[in-house]
Amino acid sequence: MTKSGWALMLGPGGPVGTAWLIGLAAGLREAGVEPADAELIAGTSAGAIAGAAITAGRDLAELAELPPPSGPPPPVDGSVMARAFELGRDPDLAPDEVRRRIGKLALDAGGLPAERHRQSMRFLVGTDDWPDARLLITTVDVETGEPVVWDASSGAPLSYAVAASSAAPGFAEPVAIAGRRYMDGAFGGSYEHLAEDAGTVIVMEPLPHMPEGAGDVRIVPDEAALEAFGGNVGDRSRWAPVYRQGLRQAPEAAGRIRAALAARR
């Protein structure tokens, strides 16, 4: 990718954050800014789902609401994520060791069966084929703690990479790909370096964790959107209203993106 291109970086945020990102992307399309025109899209967790749906050409309006659940609710242990965040704050642990310990938590906790989670991701993305567009999806190897980035050359079906990137400990089991298991890419740390060759970097984060100043344009939920998020980003019942909040924020975001791209010309 040359410095004249632009990159779209999509951050994590659970099912609620996914709804906001998809609504925002749908609204950008309506406003004349096509997210899939980015020369690079990098997604983590919720961002992986949205990035795959965008680049696969999914009709995002079809995702304004989720279909009713087809089975009993999966076992969820929210305390696992709390323990994971505690590990991340331990100053005596190296990053790889933190991720290895979180990986063990993920393996021990269980959660939504990996195949059921993958099928849900297959529905949201709409295909198992990687797009022609350059799409990067971040994950973490649960045993080594190593961040792993997937793309079209990796050999894994798209839904597997997306499911692995969004497999939050305690909420979904780690996803097996080619004999190894992977968990939520949000634990891999900053992914800003993936766009270091881009001319313009657009960051869309449901739960801002990248430092202030990251990207040329940084789009985050406003006060009304955060109110719609509620206190639990795993609450799928909030999908439709949060999608609409992303849609509402899109015209203003489109103007900022157009201005940033025009400034580079």
Side-chain angles (χ1 to χ4, degrees):
M1 182 170 60
T2 68
K3 285 286 187 180
S4 62
W6 64 287
L8 181 59
M9 314 296 285
L10 304 172
V16 170
T18 305
W20 181 80
L21 284 170
I22 290 176
L24 183 60
L28 290 176
R29 282 180 174 172
E30 291 181 4
V33 175
E34 173 51 65
D37 286 345
E39 292 190 33
L40 164 69
I41 294 182
T44 293
S45 196
I49 302 168
I54 289 166
T55 54
R58 187 78 157 91
D59 183 350
L60 302 181
E62 293 181 352
L63 300 177
E65 296 186 12
L66 291 179
S70 58
V76 169
D77 185 354
S79 69
V80 179
M81 287 292 279
R83 297 200 296 274
F85 290 138
E86 286 178 7
L87 286 169
R89 291 191 294 267
D90 189 332
D92 297 326
L93 295 178
D96 281 352
E97 179 61 21
V98 169
R99 290 189 287 265
R100 281 192 290 270
R101 294 192 185 192
I102 293 173
K104 187 176 187 311
L105 286 177
L107 289 172
D108 292 343
L112 181 67
E115 176 57 20
R116 187 172 160 192
H117 179 50
R118 186 198 68 79
Q119 290 173 1
S120 296
M121 297 305 101
R122 174 64 173 75
F123 165 77
L124 291 174
V125 173
T127 181
D128 262 332
D129 297 326
W130 285 80
D132 293 333
R134 189 179 178 206
L135 173 66
L136 303 180
I137 291 176
T138 71
T139 64
V140 173
D141 185 309
V142 295
E143 294 182 7
T144 67
E146 178 186 5
V148 178
V149 179
W150 300 83
D151 62 15
S153 68
S154 301
L158 183 58
S159 67
Y160 279 83
V162 172
S165 184
S166 57
F171 289 85
E173 295 176 346
V175 174
I177 303 176
R180 302 200 65 82
R181 287 181 286 186
Y182 301 88
M183 67 178 179
D184 199 316
F187 291 104
S190 174
Y191 54 92
E192 186 180 2
H193 64 283
L194 298 176
E196 61 187 6
D197 293 329
T200 302
V201 178
I202 310 300
V203 176
M204 292 163 44
E205 288 198 289
L207 301 176
H209 72 292
M210 289 176 68
E212 289 288 346
D216 297 283
V217 175
R218 190 166 181 261
I219 303 165
V220 299
D222 61 17
E223 186 175 346
L226 288 174
E227 184 176 349
F229 274 36
N232 176 12
V233 296
D235 185 356
R236 292 167 60 91
S237 71
R238 292 183 176 269
W239 181 284
V242 172
Y243 175 99
R244 291 193 294 270
Q245 290 296 325
L247 201 66
R248 178 188 55 78
Q249 285 191 249
E252 187 270 341
R256 293 173 59 199
I257 294 171
R258 275 193 292 265
L261 297 181
R264 291 281 186 173
R265 294 192 184 116

